[in-house]
Amino acid sequence: MNALRQYAEIQFAEELEELKQQEKRASATTKYPPNWLLSPQSVVTYLMGGKLDNGFEITPKYIGSRRLMEIAVATLTTDRALLLYGLPGTAKSWVAEQLAAAISGNSTLLVQGTAGTGEEAIRYGWNYARLLAEGPSENALVVTPMMRAMKDGKIARIEELTRITADVQDTLITILSEKMMPIPELNTEVQAVKGFNVIATANNRDKGVNELSGALKRRFNTVILPVPESLSEEIDIVQRRVSSLSKALELPAEAPALKEIQRIVTIFRELRAGVTEDGKVKIKTPTGTMSTAEAISVVNNGLALAAHFGDGILNAQDLAAGLVGAVVKDPVQDKVVWNEYLETVVKPREDWKDVYRACKEITL
């Protein structure tokens, strides 16, 4: 395929097939929830990675607490929906996509939440040409991803649930509690087939978010995805995602040295926490979230610069351009924070002189 970004079920098709084959060999003891392609245990293995009985390696999709993934998967076997909650850049959307791919074999039943998302994006819409010509009928209905998931017994995804206005959010209450979607114009309803469930993602850090009502919160089991606990864990995440994205984008640059990734991740963690890694120096934090996802973008942007305008090897000059842009969101407040960090933290580090010079050139 020539797609810029493949669906998870296509990108990791070999791994999903290997997991299915392993379950066939142990079919006597394997238990599947209705309409699931894999058992809950295999879904967690797919997410966390591991070696199968035949020696095949499953790559980790989520690097963090296995227990959190077990809770998320267990939730989807019940009648409660799953809400992945956390700061921007904590892999909420990525985990939701991988869960849908492993459980339903289809991660495309997606509703993207925005301030402009209307009720018809979640429930159903109408083909107005047919509606005028024929009146209300099933042929005039525009089926949404939510309705398709209900009919097929699959996982529906809602991205950025808190960006949707409160009155539209509450259209989910009947779907989640009664497992049905009324269509009063046709005097009928759509009943959910076994296997149907909803995975939503949400955060409350960005501007323009709407708090969920108490009634809607009760229909979800919330799993909070934290920022990576350790420096090494976050470096591993960045390294894996950069490698994957670089292959997809076909960037003609060498894989970044571990040293460069370590420095970027260290900067992000220190600015995010407001203290240096050794705990000795307190620093001001910028207005942005300084998420792991942004660190990945900074490294990829540096690779693009190195590939097309450098010698193909990532260096401090290549990283600085994206780094300054990631930190300085507010040109007044963040610039002060960034300059102070450069002078008090980066400059004294002997092996960071190149980072200091490159960042100062762009900042000034």
Side-chain angles (χ1 to χ4, degrees):
M1 287 185 65
N2 215 16
L4 182 60
R5 185 183 184 280
Q6 293 181 330
Y7 301 131
E9 57 270 26
I10 296 174
Q11 185 179 355
F12 300 104
E14 185 181 6
E15 294 187 12
L16 291 169
E17 184 59 32
E18 288 288 340
L19 284 163
K20 286 180 193 174
Q21 293 304 320
Q22 175 171 277
E23 290 190 337
K24 282 182 181 179
R25 293 190 291 271
S27 57
T29 57
T30 303
K31 295 181 180 179
Y32 297 84
N35 273 334
W36 280 40
L37 298 181
L38 295 172
S39 68
Q41 293 85 355
S42 288
V43 173
V44 173
T45 300
Y46 171 75
L47 287 167
M48 301 302 300
K51 184 178 285 189
L52 303 186
D53 295 342
N54 62 358
F56 186 87
E57 287 279 353
I58 303 294
T59 59
K61 319 299 179 301
Y62 178 75
I63 298 172
S65 169
R66 185 182 187 88
R67 193 58 175 169
L68 283 181
M69 293 301 101
E70 290 174 347
I71 294 169
V73 172
T75 296
L76 294 171
T77 68
T78 71
D79 62 346
R80 296 188 75 188
L82 173 65
L83 177 62
L84 298 176
Y85 196 78
L87 295 175
T90 48
K92 299 182 298 296
S93 299
W94 175 252
V95 170
E97 180 185 359
Q98 300 300 331
L99 281 168
I103 293 169
S104 298
N106 185 350
S107 63
T108 66
L109 300 175
L110 170 68
V111 176
Q112 179 61 58
T114 68
T117 300
E119 186 178 321
E120 69 281 356
I122 295 175
R123 297 179 69 234
Y124 54 85
W126 293 101
N127 180 326
Y128 288 103
R130 284 199 166 186
L131 188 63
L132 292 172
E134 305 172 8
S137 67
E138 285 197 22
N139 288 335
L141 271 179
V142 176
V143 177
T144 61
M146 183 68 67
M147 185 182 286
R148 193 172 300 116
M150 294 179 74
K151 287 182 173 181
D152 297 342
K154 294 187 181 296
I155 299 291
R157 296 165 53 210
I158 303 177
E159 285 295 308
E160 303 288 358
L161 179 59
T162 48
R163 291 197 177 280
I164 301 173
T165 56
D167 56 328
V168 178
Q169 287 177 8
D170 285 345
T171 61
L172 286 168
I173 292 176
T174 301
I175 295 171
L176 297 181
S177 59
E178 305 299 327
K179 308 304 178 188
M180 54 86 87
M181 183 188 296
I183 309 176
E185 297 90 340
L186 301 181
N187 194 29
T188 187
E189 63 189 28
V190 173
Q191 290 191 319
V193 172
K194 287 183 179 180
F196 165 74
N197 215 326
V198 174
I199 303 173
T201 66
N203 75 76
N204 64 352
R205 178 70 183 267
D206 287 346
K207 295 178 181 178
V209 296
N210 303 288
E211 185 68 23
L212 302 182
S213 67
L216 188 55
K217 282 181 180 178
R218 288 192 295 273
R219 270 71 181 181
F220 283 100
N221 186 35
T222 302
V223 172
I224 299 174
L225 297 186
V227 295
E229 287 187 12
S230 65
L231 177 65
S232 60
E233 189 176 283
E234 192 160 3
I235 289 171
D236 192 13
I237 293 169
V238 173
Q239 201 168 23
R240 288 176 184 275
R241 291 293 291 139
V242 165
S243 175
S244 175
L245 289 168
S246 297
K247 287 178 184 176
L249 297 171
E250 299 181 13
L251 291 176
E254 288 186 14
L258 181 60
K259 171 189 171 185
E260 300 300 346
I261 291 179
Q262 185 173 8
R263 295 200 290 191
I264 287 294
V265 172
T266 299
I267 290 170
F268 270 68
R269 289 180 66 85
E270 290 180 335
L271 287 171
R272 189 165 64 218
V275 64
T276 53
E277 279 290 309
D278 57 14
K280 293 180 179 179
V281 181
K282 289 187 177 181
I283 50 183
K284 294 176 183 175
T285 58
T287 57
T289 57
M290 303 304 296
S291 68
T292 308
E294 289 175 296
I296 293 166
S297 295
V298 168
V299 178
N300 273 329
N301 184 67
L303 283 174
L305 282 170
H308 300 297
F309 301 101
D311 58 4
I313 300 173
L314 185 69
N315 58 37
Q317 285 73 28
D318 300 320
L319 289 172
L323 184 56
V324 174
V327 178
V328 184
K329 304 293 188 187
D330 183 312
V332 178
Q333 183 178 339
D334 289 343
K335 189 171 182 180
V336 173
V337 171
W338 179 233
N339 277 321
E340 186 176 306
Y341 177 75
L342 288 175
E343 296 299 330
T344 59
V345 178
V346 177
K347 187 176 181 180
R349 291 174 174 165
E350 286 299 322
D351 56 342
W352 284 42
K353 298 296 185 187
D354 54 341
V355 175
Y356 174 77
R357 287 192 298 269
C359 289
K360 288 297 286 185
E361 285 174 10
I362 292 176
T363 305
L364 296 174

